[in-house]
Amino acid sequence: MTTVPTSDAGLRTHAPEGPRAEAPKQPSTPKFILYAEGPEYGRSLRQLTLWVHHVLLPVYGREVTSQAPWCSRWWEHPEAVAQLHGLWLAWAELSDTASESGMTGPAGWHRDYLNPTMQILRDPAGPFAGCKPGSHRSKQAPPVDLVDPFAPPPQPPGKD
């Protein structure tokens, strides 16, 4: 789990001494997965997969039914990836009882994040609609007009 400092207390305020001394590195806050691309997306998805497969599903994974679907290839559903990544980020922050969330962080995570997210994911009309155990079905995105309704109007030819 990555912790993010909430203040700069205890950090050096002067230049490090000596030829090999380096300033202390600050842990970076993870980027939301929908903003990641290429290798960064792959690393984020790998970390998320480890958490989903080794924490979330063993503890909170319930039986798959037609009224509570789950796709064994959940990473191929962009909505599920986004929902689960948000859930994981909240878990990373709220499961640390030594953090600002304190002793009530885990209870708040269950109430405010886990239960609503799992209800959305496991809804019969949710991202896994059409998937059955051992059978993945890609979901079709709704069509979108190619015309941008908020773009500036096109200029007549010859008027630049």
Side-chain angles (χ1 to χ4, degrees), residues 42-85:
R43 284 188 299 275
S44 294
L45 189 57
R46 174 72 177 135
Q47 290 176 320
L48 176 61
T49 300
L50 290 171
W51 180 77
V52 168
H53 291 187
H54 296 285
V55 177
L56 182 70
L57 292 178
V59 177
Y60 303 104
R62 296 180 183 168
E63 186 175 354
V64 176
T65 68
S66 61
Q67 294 303 306
W70 181 266
C71 185
S72 60
R73 295 169 62 152
W74 57 266
W75 56 89
E76 293 186 19
H77 296 271
E79 179 184 354
V81 170
Q83 292 274 359
L84 289 167
H85 193 258

Side-chain angles (χ1 to χ4, degrees), residues 11-149:
L11 297 179
R12 274 186 224 188
T13 56
H14 62 279
E17 296 178 21
R20 295 185 187 242
E22 295 179 15
K25 289 190 176 196
Q26 295 296 317
S28 63
T29 302
K31 184 188 289 189
F32 185 55
I33 199 162
L34 293 183
Y35 295 117
E37 296 178 314
E40 182 184 21
Y41 179 84
R43 284 188 299 275
S44 294
L45 189 57
R46 174 72 177 135
Q47 290 176 320
L48 176 61
T49 300
L50 290 171
W51 180 77
V52 168
H53 291 187
H54 296 285
V55 177
L56 182 70
L57 292 178
V59 177
Y60 303 104
R62 296 180 183 168
E63 186 175 354
V64 176
T65 68
S66 61
Q67 294 303 306
W70 181 266
C71 185
S72 60
R73 295 169 62 152
W74 57 266
W75 56 89
E76 293 186 19
H77 296 271
E79 179 184 354
V81 170
Q83 292 274 359
L84 289 167
H85 193 258
L87 184 63
W88 175 57
L89 292 175
W91 177 82
E93 182 175 313
L94 296 173
S95 65
D96 181 2
T97 57
S99 72
E100 288 181 24
S101 64
M103 302 291 276
T104 61
W109 179 79
H110 285 91
R111 180 194 65 226
D112 297 336
Y113 300 96
L114 174 69
N115 294 333
T117 300
M118 293 304 273
Q119 285 176 347
I120 289 167
L121 291 175
R122 306 290 307 267
D123 187 278
F128 303 139
C131 294
K132 295 175 178 30
S135 173
H136 165 74
R137 186 184 76 136
S138 295
K139 193 171 137 184
Q140 294 296 319
V144 177
D145 285 340
L146 295 178
V147 176
D148 181 352

